[in-house]
Amino acid sequence: MAMIAHKCPQYRVTVVDTNPERITAWNSDTLPIYEPGLDEIVKKIRGRNLFFSTQIEQGIKEASIIFVSVNTPIKTFGTGVGMAADLQYWEKTARQIREASQSQKIIVEKSTLPVKTALAMERILTATANEVHFDILSNPEFMAEGTGIKDLETPDRVLIGSRETPEGIKARDELVEIYANWVPRERIITSNIWSSELSKLVSNAFLAQRISSINAISSLCEKTEADITEVARAVGMDSRLGDKFLNASVGFGGSCFKKDLLNLVYLCRQYGLKEVADYWDGVVRINDYQKERFILNMLGAMFNTLAGKRICLFGFAFKADTGDTRESPAIYVSRRIVEERAELVITDPRALANAEADLADIQGAVAFVEDPCEAAAGCDAIAVMTEWDIYATLDFKKIYETMRKPAYIFDGRNILAHEDLFKIGFNVFPVGKPPLTHF
Ligand SMILES: NC(=O)c1ccc[n+]([C@@H]2O[C@H](COP(=O)([O-])OP(=O)(O)OC[C@H]3O[C@@H](n4cnc5c(N)ncnc54)[C@H](O)[C@@H]3O)[C@@H](O)[C@H]2O)c1
């Protein structure tokens, strides 16, 4: 919404949320999320044509286009528990819109939703005698956290799905006009509404699948002395495949991949497509396996016990350039380390507050330290969880001196200079490459 307001001064954009703390933060100097470049844009246009408010009813009344971007987490109860999208926030919003609307509106599905959700939205909006007309569009968001501003400024594509009725097409054209203020026309694509809903789930499923594919091969590399970086380079140079998303790691995280995959699996099951569901479920299972394998490698390297050892996690965010820790592999790794009765120290430049909240139930067993050098002091091992640039430039000679010996590094992102670390004295365990050990 900030990008639309920034690029289209002729539109007035109001963001409303049920969470007053978030709105207060959006109106303050400390925005509630860290996203490179976002602060500058918000500060420039806030109060001009971008507003943040808790007045939901008024927001609905005044708007002619409403982007619904509420959370759609995985269900934690009832039918479809742990798999299906929990659409309670979505449905509540639909009812709120119906009750407060006094004039015709375009409703844009911005949240990631199971295919056919627009049908439910239509039914809720037209379920009373209220004469107001609504057009529903699907406009999934493809931006990724950490590169959000760049992705929004120069998107690969903007996808807009609509009903193929004259009203549907008219509404779709209105949304096309908004994006056309800065996105080249050939990158704004339109489709039927179900294709649009499904495309978002499929995009994330394909991206996650690439990570799980390379991670699956990383385990084979570790058994065969092949090197995953060399394999990925050779594979990625095939122009049919390309080189993106081929970095082996401790596993993918983030609020979207797992949730959207599980959603796809659930949808397939619902439509009786068991084999298809199992196929995509495999992508999730490989990701879980990769996280557990990281712990098993750690155990194997450290004489099959972590008890009483002190282990430092470098990074807790699910990837660099974000403070977001939702579904971060670091959560699983932390819990397993504590389960193995090791002491745990966590450092991260942006995600420590979220880390503390994620691990609230085991807080007694964890220390949170801002400075990575301080965090590593007195530890037996460092495990890199997030590919923050700063970790590659630390003075590892100094760090080595402050650690217990033998000192280990488990590079869950393959970002460090492994040979150099080995020369300093570390035993180095990358993902999908032969370890460098002094034993
Ligand atoms: N985070 C991403 O990078 C990303 C990218 C693409 C798509 N998406 C999709 O966008 C959606 C939102 O994701 P998010 O990461 O921003 O989630 P989020 O949980 O950070 O934000 C959702 C917000 O909606 C608010 N909300 C809930 N019910 C409401 C209601 N009835 N009225 C007003 N506000 C309400 C919540 O208070 C919260 O602030 C999800 O469907 C997600 O899959 C997210």
Side-chain angles (χ1 to χ4, degrees), residues 40 102 275 300 326:
E40 291 74 22
Q102 293 165 342
E275 283 74 9
R326 290 179 286 180

Side-chain angles (χ1 to χ4, degrees), residues 282-294:
V283 176
V284 182
R285 278 188 282 119
I286 287 290
N287 198 50
D288 291 340
Y289 170 68
Q290 191 74 351
K291 291 183 272 187
E292 177 60 16
R293 218 169 63 72
F294 190 80

Side-chain angles (χ1 to χ4, degrees), residues 16-20 22-23 26 33 35 56 60 68-73 88-94 96 110-113 140-146 148 200 204 254-257 259-260 318-319 324 326:
V16 295
D17 200 297
T18 42
N19 181 335
R22 276 207 171 182
I23 291 298
W26 281 112
I33 56 168
E35 191 65 43
I56 296 180
I60 295 170
V68 183
S69 326
V70 302
N71 39 330
T72 52
Q88 60 169 312
Y89 308 101
W90 179 260
E91 187 173 331
K92 190 166 164 250
T93 312
Q96 278 174 308
K110 203 40 151 163
S111 302
T112 304
L113 297 160
E141 185 47 65
F142 293 105
M143 65 115 204
E145 286 174 28
K200 171 64 193 180
N204 272 356
S255 65
C256 293
F257 278 3
K259 150 174 100 65
D260 295 352
F318 82 91
K319 66 175 179 183
D324 199 342
R326 290 179 286 180

Side-chain angles (χ1 to χ4, degrees), residues 283-322:
V283 176
V284 182
R285 278 188 282 119
I286 287 290
N287 198 50
D288 291 340
Y289 170 68
Q290 191 74 351
K291 291 183 272 187
E292 177 60 16
R293 218 169 63 72
F294 190 80
I295 290 290
L296 294 180
N297 278 349
M298 221 171 195
L299 271 167
M302 299 174 83
F303 318 116
N304 292 316
T305 174
L306 303 185
K309 294 189 171 117
R310 198 171 164 85
I311 296 170
C312 177
L313 296 193
F314 271 21
F316 200 86
F318 82 91
K319 66 175 179 183
D321 294 323
T322 179

